[in-house]
Amino acid sequence: MEKFSSFRDPGTGIQPFLAPVPPQERDLFVTILTPIRAVVAVTRTVVIIVLISIHFVLAHVFGFICRPVPPLQDVISWLGTVLLARLALYVMGFWSVSAELIVRKRGKIPENKWNPRAGDLIVSNWSSWIEVLWLAYKYNPLFVLPVANAPAASPSRDASSISYTPGRKTGTGSAAISSFDRVLSSPEVIRGFRQVSLLEIISSTGKTPSAPSSVHLRSLDDIRRSARRPVVVFPECTTSNGRGLLRFADVFNGASVPTKGYNMFLMSVRYDPPTASQPSLSHSVPAATLNPLRHLLQICTSLSPQSISIRQLPLSDSPSSQLFIVNEVVPEPRSDVLAEVCAVLIARMGKMKRVGFGWEDKYAFLDFYRGRR
């Protein structure tokens, strides 16, 4: 949409926030099956709601009762999480999800497969709540959300001030954007993190960091040190539509590379573009209420198997390997070298282009999208 052109990355031409639009041509077969798809979607959604209730009872009610016995609490929490995550994925059509190990150098055989332990970090891009479910099923980790102040509004970032000119300056190709009046938002400081439950991070998918006054903030390193499970970090701090990798925030607070005392596991997630019968699996625009129930209903209308591309970096190639050389990945250091290293490696794994937009620009996009300007 042309009114959102100012949220198109100047360097790549990618619009990373709007949900991908399926082809507009009508499919007669899909139209005929519309009533069946609606019934299937409602049935699947009801089943998933039941699974959520089971998870809540096991992980929160029984888990709270068993707090005096931490090992028993961990077992019950793990059982409730696995039941929700795997069965929910199966109900939605993700019958089989496999991960591919990607080595940095061709011809090299991966030496270390993924086996995250307590206190290790799992770092990934973020496009949907679906990969959150997969991570919960596979590794039963802790999830954290960043806390930051809302970006200050600036007239130079107004989406209506865009200067848009179709076509290349040479006149020899497809349409492209030639000039932009909008200035990219400057990075905001991440004040800290808060540990959240599986249900809370799913309901927060697509939203930007906030600064609730009643929440006790902790550093990522502090959470990691006290964790009895691996910790999942999304340095983009919000979801994109999967077309590009957003600017990573300085979430690691200047941690050294290679890391010491813990391992880092990097992964990338990508989804296929939507079709007439397959809705978009990425979830970049959150619903105002009951997020992401509407997106769940859309996904459940699909009658064919769903797919997800997950690529993982072997531990021997990660920033926690003591043989890791920073200059081979990041020639020019920045304030958070570890965040930059992770961004480069994840972009390479997923074959994604990096865009200059960050979560601060997503905040401005959602503000404009909802008509508050």
Side-chain angles (χ1 to χ4, degrees):
M1 299 181 184
E2 189 170 337
K3 66 178 180 179
F4 297 108
S5 296
S6 59
F7 294 99
R8 191 178 296 274
D9 181 61
T12 62
I14 293 174
Q15 213 295 14
F17 300 136
L18 277 178
V21 180
Q24 297 300 316
E25 62 268 14
R26 292 187 176 183
D27 189 319
L28 180 61
F29 186 68
V30 173
T31 304
I32 294 174
L33 291 178
T34 297
I36 298 177
R37 286 157 56 93
V39 173
V40 169
V42 173
T43 304
R44 285 175 166 177
T45 302
V46 171
V47 171
I48 292 176
I49 292 176
V50 172
L51 292 174
I52 292 174
S53 302
I54 296 174
H55 165 77
F56 182 83
V57 172
L58 287 176
H60 296 275
V61 178
F62 282 100
F64 180 79
I65 295 174
C66 297
R67 286 184 65 184
V69 187
L72 181 59
Q73 182 187 24
D74 291 342
V75 171
I76 293 177
S77 176
W78 170 82
L79 180 62
T81 299
V82 169
L83 281 175
L84 165 69
R86 188 62 194 99
L87 291 178
L89 288 170
Y90 191 87
V91 170
M92 288 188 293
F94 295 92
W95 299 341
S96 176
V97 180
S98 58
E100 179 185 5
L101 279 176
I102 304 295
V103 295
R104 290 172 55 196
K105 297 180 180 180
R106 293 184 179 180
K108 182 180 178 181
I109 300 176
E111 300 175 4
N112 306 95
K113 295 186 177 180
W114 271 46
N115 187 26
R117 300 181 182 276
D120 290 341
L121 293 182
I122 299 175
V123 185
S124 173
N125 65 307
W126 198 7
S127 296
S128 180
W129 49 273
I130 297 172
E131 62 260 33
V132 172
L133 275 179
W134 184 84
L135 284 166
Y137 151 69
K138 198 71 176 178
Y139 305 109
N140 187 31
L142 296 177
F143 294 97
V144 296
L145 286 175
V147 175
N149 295 326
S154 171
S156 62
R157 299 174 189 168
D158 192 345
S160 62
S161 64
I162 180 70
S163 175
Y164 179 85
T165 307
R168 298 186 180 183
K169 292 183 179 180
T170 57
T172 59
S174 59
I177 297 173
S178 63
S179 63
F180 293 81
D181 289 342
R182 187 177 183 275
V183 179
L184 299 182
S185 298
S186 58
E188 294 287 338
V189 176
I190 300 299
R191 295 172 48 194
F193 289 84
R194 57 190 180 98
Q195 184 178 322
V196 295
S197 66
L198 174 60
L199 297 181
E200 186 173 356
I201 194 169
I202 287 176
S203 65
S204 299
T205 302
K207 300 178 182 179
T208 56
S210 58
S213 58
S214 59
V215 175
H216 174 63
L217 300 185
R218 300 172 64 190
S219 67
L220 182 60
D221 194 57
D222 182 36
I223 295 175
R224 182 197 63 76
R225 289 175 183 273
S226 61
R228 300 200 300 266
R229 290 178 280 167
V231 179
V232 171
V233 184
F234 298 112
E236 292 173 290
C237 300
T238 187
T239 55
S240 70
N241 58 17
R243 294 194 59 202
L245 189 68
L246 300 182
R247 180 181 67 224
F248 277 21
D250 292 346
V251 296
F252 299 112
N253 196 26
S256 61
V257 184
T259 60
K260 297 179 181 179
Y262 62 97
N263 291 323
M264 294 195 66
F265 297 84
L266 274 58
M267 62 175 271
S268 68
V269 179
R270 294 198 69 173
Y271 298 102
D272 293 333
T275 64
S277 60
Q278 289 273 18
S280 173
L281 297 178
S282 63
H283 186 60
S284 57
V285 181
T289 57
L290 297 178
N291 184 58
L293 180 59
R294 181 178 178 182
H295 188 229
L296 171 62
L297 281 167
Q298 293 174 344
I299 292 175
C300 289
T301 60
S302 176
L303 302 179
S304 55
Q306 306 279 16
S307 63
I308 175 175
S309 173
I310 297 178
R311 295 185 172 187
Q312 298 176 324
L313 194 69
L315 188 59
S316 57
D317 287 339
S318 82
S320 57
S321 171
Q322 298 308 304
L323 300 177
F324 188 87
I325 302 175
V326 178
N327 293 338
E328 292 183 354
V329 180
V330 183
E332 299 180 2
R334 49 168 279 188
S335 56
D336 193 336
V337 179
L338 184 54
E340 180 67 12
V341 167
C342 291
V344 172
L345 294 178
I346 290 175
R348 290 179 182 175
M349 271 195 299
K351 298 181 179 179
M352 295 179 289
K353 292 183 178 180
R354 299 176 62 189
V355 299
F357 289 133
W359 71 264
E360 301 87 353
D361 301 281
K362 174 75 173 289
Y363 180 91
F365 166 81
L366 291 176
D367 200 25
F368 178 71
Y369 182 87
R370 291 166 178 164
R372 294 175 182 172
R373 286 187 180 271

